[in-house]
Amino acid sequence: MKPMMKSLILGSAAMLAGSGAQAADLPVKAKAVEYVKICSLYGAGFYYIPGTDTCIKLGGYLRAEVALGTNSDYNWTSSGVGGAHNRLSNYYTARSREDFNIDTRTATEYGVVRTFFDGVFSWTTGGYAGSGTGLTGGATAYDAAPSGTNGSGSIAGGSLGVYFAFIQFAGFTVGKAVSQFSAPWTNYPANNFDGLWGGGGTVTGVNQFTYTADFGQGVTAAISAQDQVQYYQAGLVNVSGITSSGIVGGAYGLNDIGGSRSPDLVGMVRVDQAWGLFQASVAAHDNHAGYYGGDETTGHPGDKWGWAVQLALSIKNIPTGAGDTINIQGVYTDGATRYNAQDLAPIAFSMFGGTGLAGAYQSVGFASAPDAVFVAGSGLQTIKTYGFNGGYTHNWDPNWNTGIYGMWAAVRYTDAAKGFICGSTAMGALLVTGSTCNPDFNVMSAGVITRWTPVKNLTFSADLNWSRLDQKYFGAVAYAGSAATAKPAAVYELKDQNSLTLLLRAQRNW
């Protein structure tokens, strides 16, 4: 064996020597390819962009879901054909969505420069509303922009949404990001349901210019100027345009907002430590109306600032189990309704149901929560709201958890505002003799959600929600009916209304 081994070694050496001699006659080899390198500075999933010192992370999710008992994904049946509760109402609304985000970070002598983008591509079931064009019978038309698209653009039957697009540098945040007023869980203390009142939240971001100071040990404070136009306008209602059909539809006149004047001003202080989190937020909101009438000569009400204050608390490491959490927040607003009814929550209600009133066809509950109301010659009468929401999540094991959640909120009109609405000719014509007018109302919700994660980043969930409109009118209305919701002209009892919905969701994060 030894002579054979020696021959193999010598033969191999000769071959290598020959190869080396031939290599001297070949062209110089190309520079080695610079493969993507892992960036460990900012956590898992980051890589260096080749040729730079910038780290990048790609992420997102794919979601498929169906909401039962609603025309919205995912909200309660608060108005329109959903609130009509008849043959035009959807028994299900389905959505498929792909979310894609890009996170880049670069270390500099001034700190980390970060950019973040998050966009979604969605397809959502529409619905059918009465078109009023049938010559010999009923007719409906497809709603190509179903509730829940949240202002995103329609593309080939689907929609494209830009949720976040911001730059962070040296404590500054510029662009579309979650409002500094929002609690970290935005509108979701334990739920998938989108329609909770009881706290401000912009889960899809709002344009802002913010400075955040970090004092160490989890204590931060922020001041912010944020765009009020898209997400923080609940309406400035000119009651001079009130109609009987509009009242039942959830509107006390015409929305009469003027052009933008001032961004909303927000301040926030947060303590985020191992035990949990506490946050206090304040906001100021400029209410700037248009004109009393159709042109400049009719005059206008003066601007009036509204405001909001919110407290939020999260408790971790509670004795019921590892990872269990309690999230709760409460808010008070005056002329800044969207800081209570976050931008996905309904603020106009027109809901129909059964009745026990003799002579009535059905029952109806209607309500509206703008920022302020006015009539020709008056100033703005701001609307006050207050409420809270909260949730508790319990982990049964690493694969299963259940959350319970709820909210309650109140809307209160001033005596002058009630006079504008209840003293109108339209309201007088609508109310049946002996009925009373009061536009104040409450809303409430309760729900339970269970999630199953069989493998990492794949979750199946079921969220059952009950919501209620507690209206303060009494008696009945003589409603002229609506072709859009197929409601006939008849007497309708004024009554509180309920919504019961279920969301089934499958989501794969990546």
mmCIF file of all heavy atoms in Angstrom, residues 50-76:
data_model
loop_
_atom_site.group_PDB
_atom_site.id
_atom_site.type_symbol
_atom_site.label_atom_id
_atom_site.label_comp_id
_atom_site.label_asym_id
_atom_site.label_seq_id
_atom_site.Cartn_x
_atom_site.Cartn_y
_atom_site.Cartn_z
ATOM 1 N N PRO A 50 -25.384 45.501 -1.508
ATOM 2 C CA PRO A 50 -24.012 45.361 -2.040
ATOM 3 C C PRO A 50 -23.409 46.703 -2.435
ATOM 4 O O PRO A 50 -24.051 47.544 -3.073
ATOM 5 C CB PRO A 50 -24.209 44.459 -3.262
ATOM 6 C CG PRO A 50 -25.412 43.649 -2.936
ATOM 7 C CD PRO A 50 -26.312 44.575 -2.179
ATOM 8 N N GLY A 51 -22.174 46.895 -2.001
ATOM 9 C CA GLY A 51 -21.448 48.113 -2.334
ATOM 10 C C GLY A 51 -21.760 49.298 -1.463
ATOM 11 O O GLY A 51 -21.275 50.404 -1.726
ATOM 12 N N THR A 52 -22.589 49.115 -0.414
ATOM 13 C CA THR A 52 -22.949 50.228 0.460
ATOM 14 C C THR A 52 -22.842 49.784 1.918
ATOM 15 O O THR A 52 -22.662 48.607 2.218
ATOM 16 C CB THR A 52 -24.397 50.705 0.206
ATOM 17 O OG1 THR A 52 -25.315 49.758 0.777
ATOM 18 C CG2 THR A 52 -24.684 50.835 -1.281
ATOM 19 N N ASP A 53 -22.988 50.755 2.829
ATOM 20 C CA ASP A 53 -23.053 50.444 4.253
ATOM 21 C C ASP A 53 -24.495 50.561 4.766
ATOM 22 O O ASP A 53 -24.736 50.713 5.960
ATOM 23 C CB ASP A 53 -22.130 51.363 5.055
ATOM 24 C CG ASP A 53 -22.455 52.840 4.845
ATOM 25 O OD1 ASP A 53 -23.354 53.152 4.031
ATOM 26 O OD2 ASP A 53 -21.805 53.679 5.493
ATOM 27 N N THR A 54 -25.475 50.492 3.859
ATOM 28 C CA THR A 54 -26.894 50.549 4.195
ATOM 29 C C THR A 54 -27.457 49.140 4.315
ATOM 30 O O THR A 54 -27.225 48.288 3.462
ATOM 31 C CB THR A 54 -27.683 51.325 3.129
ATOM 32 O OG1 THR A 54 -27.243 52.680 3.114
ATOM 33 C CG2 THR A 54 -29.179 51.286 3.413
ATOM 34 N N CYS A 55 -28.208 48.909 5.389
ATOM 35 C CA CYS A 55 -28.846 47.614 5.614
ATOM 36 C C CYS A 55 -30.311 47.689 5.197
ATOM 37 O O CYS A 55 -30.968 48.713 5.384
ATOM 38 C CB CYS A 55 -28.745 47.214 7.079
ATOM 39 S SG CYS A 55 -27.038 47.034 7.661
ATOM 40 N N ILE A 56 -30.820 46.601 4.658
ATOM 41 C CA ILE A 56 -32.194 46.559 4.162
ATOM 42 C C ILE A 56 -32.883 45.290 4.634
ATOM 43 O O ILE A 56 -32.254 44.237 4.763
ATOM 44 C CB ILE A 56 -32.228 46.643 2.612
ATOM 45 C CG1 ILE A 56 -33.672 46.778 2.118
ATOM 46 C CG2 ILE A 56 -31.534 45.442 1.980
ATOM 47 C CD1 ILE A 56 -33.762 47.109 0.635
ATOM 48 N N LYS A 57 -34.176 45.422 4.903
ATOM 49 C CA LYS A 57 -35.000 44.275 5.292
ATOM 50 C C LYS A 57 -36.315 44.346 4.532
ATOM 51 O O LYS A 57 -36.968 45.385 4.502
ATOM 52 C CB LYS A 57 -35.272 44.283 6.798
ATOM 53 C CG LYS A 57 -36.123 43.125 7.293
ATOM 54 C CD LYS A 57 -36.342 43.199 8.807
ATOM 55 C CE LYS A 57 -37.182 42.037 9.318
ATOM 56 N NZ LYS A 57 -37.378 42.100 10.787
ATOM 57 N N LEU A 58 -36.689 43.246 3.909
ATOM 58 C CA LEU A 58 -37.959 43.146 3.215
ATOM 59 C C LEU A 58 -38.910 42.294 4.047
ATOM 60 O O LEU A 58 -38.497 41.309 4.658
ATOM 61 C CB LEU A 58 -37.775 42.507 1.833
ATOM 62 C CG LEU A 58 -36.755 43.168 0.911
ATOM 63 C CD1 LEU A 58 -36.677 42.414 -0.408
ATOM 64 C CD2 LEU A 58 -37.094 44.631 0.682
ATOM 65 N N GLY A 59 -40.175 42.681 4.076
ATOM 66 C CA GLY A 59 -41.146 41.933 4.857
ATOM 67 C C GLY A 59 -42.545 42.151 4.339
ATOM 68 O O GLY A 59 -42.767 42.859 3.356
ATOM 69 N N GLY A 60 -43.494 41.534 5.014
ATOM 70 C CA GLY A 60 -44.887 41.705 4.639
ATOM 71 C C GLY A 60 -45.730 40.534 5.088
ATOM 72 O O GLY A 60 -45.335 39.738 5.938
ATOM 73 N N TYR A 61 -46.904 40.437 4.504
ATOM 74 C CA TYR A 61 -47.792 39.319 4.800
ATOM 75 C C TYR A 61 -48.751 39.115 3.637
ATOM 76 O O TYR A 61 -48.966 40.005 2.809
ATOM 77 C CB TYR A 61 -48.580 39.540 6.093
ATOM 78 C CG TYR A 61 -49.511 40.735 6.094
ATOM 79 C CD1 TYR A 61 -50.773 40.675 5.495
ATOM 80 C CD2 TYR A 61 -49.146 41.931 6.715
ATOM 81 C CE1 TYR A 61 -51.622 41.761 5.500
ATOM 82 C CE2 TYR A 61 -49.999 43.025 6.729
ATOM 83 C CZ TYR A 61 -51.238 42.935 6.114
ATOM 84 O OH TYR A 61 -52.078 44.020 6.125
ATOM 85 N N LEU A 62 -49.300 37.921 3.557
ATOM 86 C CA LEU A 62 -50.410 37.642 2.657
ATOM 87 C C LEU A 62 -51.588 37.197 3.525
ATOM 88 O O LEU A 62 -51.429 36.339 4.392
ATOM 89 C CB LEU A 62 -50.061 36.565 1.639
ATOM 90 C CG LEU A 62 -51.073 36.476 0.476
ATOM 91 C CD1 LEU A 62 -50.379 36.137 -0.820
ATOM 92 C CD2 LEU A 62 -52.187 35.481 0.755
ATOM 93 N N ARG A 63 -52.742 37.810 3.267
ATOM 94 C CA ARG A 63 -53.920 37.594 4.105
ATOM 95 C C ARG A 63 -55.126 37.262 3.241
ATOM 96 O O ARG A 63 -55.356 37.904 2.213
ATOM 97 C CB ARG A 63 -54.200 38.848 4.922
ATOM 98 C CG ARG A 63 -55.453 38.806 5.773
ATOM 99 C CD ARG A 63 -55.733 40.162 6.382
ATOM 100 N NE ARG A 63 -54.697 40.560 7.331
ATOM 101 C CZ ARG A 63 -54.595 41.786 7.853
ATOM 102 N NH1 ARG A 63 -55.445 42.733 7.483
ATOM 103 N NH2 ARG A 63 -53.637 42.064 8.709
ATOM 104 N N ALA A 64 -55.876 36.255 3.659
ATOM 105 C CA ALA A 64 -57.159 35.929 3.033
ATOM 106 C C ALA A 64 -58.191 35.830 4.148
ATOM 107 O O ALA A 64 -57.948 35.184 5.173
ATOM 108 C CB ALA A 64 -57.069 34.617 2.263
ATOM 109 N N GLU A 65 -59.345 36.486 3.955
ATOM 110 C CA GLU A 65 -60.324 36.532 5.029
ATOM 111 C C GLU A 65 -61.729 36.700 4.482
ATOM 112 O O GLU A 65 -61.922 37.130 3.331
ATOM 113 C CB GLU A 65 -60.010 37.673 5.995
ATOM 114 C CG GLU A 65 -60.039 39.058 5.366
ATOM 115 C CD GLU A 65 -59.456 40.120 6.283
ATOM 116 O OE1 GLU A 65 -58.795 39.777 7.271
ATOM 117 O OE2 GLU A 65 -59.659 41.315 5.991
ATOM 118 N N VAL A 66 -62.693 36.355 5.308
ATOM 119 C CA VAL A 66 -64.088 36.577 4.982
ATOM 120 C C VAL A 66 -64.797 37.088 6.224
ATOM 121 O O VAL A 66 -64.633 36.543 7.318
ATOM 122 C CB VAL A 66 -64.754 35.297 4.438
ATOM 123 C CG1 VAL A 66 -64.680 34.158 5.437
ATOM 124 C CG2 VAL A 66 -66.204 35.568 4.036
ATOM 125 N N ALA A 67 -65.560 38.172 6.062
ATOM 126 C CA ALA A 67 -66.346 38.759 7.151
ATOM 127 C C ALA A 67 -67.803 38.391 6.929
ATOM 128 O O ALA A 67 -68.361 38.654 5.850
ATOM 129 C CB ALA A 67 -66.166 40.274 7.179
ATOM 130 N N LEU A 68 -68.423 37.789 7.925
ATOM 131 C CA LEU A 68 -69.796 37.319 7.821
ATOM 132 C C LEU A 68 -70.742 38.305 8.500
ATOM 133 O O LEU A 68 -70.466 38.803 9.587
ATOM 134 C CB LEU A 68 -69.930 35.945 8.470
ATOM 135 C CG LEU A 68 -68.972 34.860 7.955
ATOM 136 C CD1 LEU A 68 -69.210 33.553 8.695
ATOM 137 C CD2 LEU A 68 -69.125 34.667 6.462
ATOM 138 N N GLY A 69 -71.861 38.586 7.827
ATOM 139 C CA GLY A 69 -72.880 39.455 8.409
ATOM 140 C C GLY A 69 -72.610 40.929 8.237
ATOM 141 O O GLY A 69 -73.167 41.748 8.975
ATOM 142 N N THR A 70 -71.784 41.318 7.261
ATOM 143 C CA THR A 70 -71.458 42.732 7.079
ATOM 144 C C THR A 70 -71.063 43.010 5.636
ATOM 145 O O THR A 70 -70.571 42.116 4.934
ATOM 146 C CB THR A 70 -70.320 43.165 8.019
ATOM 147 O OG1 THR A 70 -69.983 44.543 7.764
ATOM 148 C CG2 THR A 70 -69.079 42.310 7.810
ATOM 149 N N ASN A 71 -71.274 44.253 5.199
ATOM 150 C CA ASN A 71 -70.810 44.703 3.885
ATOM 151 C C ASN A 71 -69.436 45.337 3.956
ATOM 152 O O ASN A 71 -68.930 45.856 2.959
ATOM 153 C CB ASN A 71 -71.792 45.717 3.297
ATOM 154 C CG ASN A 71 -73.019 45.061 2.697
ATOM 155 O OD1 ASN A 71 -73.754 44.358 3.382
ATOM 156 N ND2 ASN A 71 -73.234 45.253 1.412
ATOM 157 N N SER A 72 -68.805 45.305 5.132
ATOM 158 C CA SER A 72 -67.512 45.935 5.317
ATOM 159 C C SER A 72 -66.522 44.925 5.874
ATOM 160 O O SER A 72 -66.889 44.019 6.623
ATOM 161 C CB SER A 72 -67.629 47.110 6.295
ATOM 162 O OG SER A 72 -66.374 47.693 6.533
ATOM 163 N N ASP A 73 -65.268 45.083 5.501
ATOM 164 C CA ASP A 73 -64.219 44.191 5.989
ATOM 165 C C ASP A 73 -63.167 45.053 6.700
ATOM 166 O O ASP A 73 -62.347 45.688 6.050
ATOM 167 C CB ASP A 73 -63.590 43.444 4.811
ATOM 168 C CG ASP A 73 -62.621 42.370 5.238
ATOM 169 O OD1 ASP A 73 -62.248 42.348 6.427
ATOM 170 O OD2 ASP A 73 -62.210 41.575 4.394
ATOM 171 N N TYR A 74 -63.119 45.134 8.064
ATOM 172 C CA TYR A 74 -64.047 44.399 8.897
ATOM 173 C C TYR A 74 -64.635 45.379 9.888
ATOM 174 O O TYR A 74 -63.907 45.853 10.756
ATOM 175 C CB TYR A 74 -63.307 43.230 9.568
ATOM 176 C CG TYR A 74 -64.094 42.518 10.639
ATOM 177 C CD1 TYR A 74 -65.390 42.089 10.410
ATOM 178 C CD2 TYR A 74 -63.557 42.289 11.876
ATOM 179 C CE1 TYR A 74 -66.118 41.427 11.394
ATOM 180 C CE2 TYR A 74 -64.267 41.621 12.869
ATOM 181 C CZ TYR A 74 -65.554 41.193 12.613
ATOM 182 O OH TYR A 74 -66.256 40.561 13.580
ATOM 183 N N ASN A 75 -65.956 45.653 9.720
ATOM 184 C CA ASN A 75 -66.611 46.652 10.548
ATOM 185 C C ASN A 75 -68.044 46.217 10.801
ATOM 186 O O ASN A 75 -68.483 45.179 10.304
ATOM 187 C CB ASN A 75 -66.566 48.021 9.865
ATOM 188 C CG ASN A 75 -66.102 49.127 10.780
ATOM 189 O OD1 ASN A 75 -66.675 49.334 11.839
ATOM 190 N ND2 ASN A 75 -65.061 49.851 10.374
ATOM 191 N N TRP A 76 -68.775 47.034 11.568
ATOM 192 C CA TRP A 76 -70.154 46.659 11.842
ATOM 193 C C TRP A 76 -71.106 47.230 10.797
ATOM 194 O O TRP A 76 -70.728 48.082 9.999
ATOM 195 C CB TRP A 76 -70.587 46.980 13.256
ATOM 196 C CG TRP A 76 -70.241 48.305 13.874
ATOM 197 C CD1 TRP A 76 -69.094 49.014 13.722
ATOM 198 C CD2 TRP A 76 -71.049 49.033 14.796
ATOM 199 N NE1 TRP A 76 -69.137 50.142 14.504
ATOM 200 C CE2 TRP A 76 -70.325 50.176 15.175
ATOM 201 C CE3 TRP A 76 -72.298 48.828 15.358
ATOM 202 C CZ2 TRP A 76 -70.828 51.123 16.076
ATOM 203 C CZ3 TRP A 76 -72.789 49.761 16.266
ATOM 204 C CH2 TRP A 76 -72.062 50.892 16.616
#
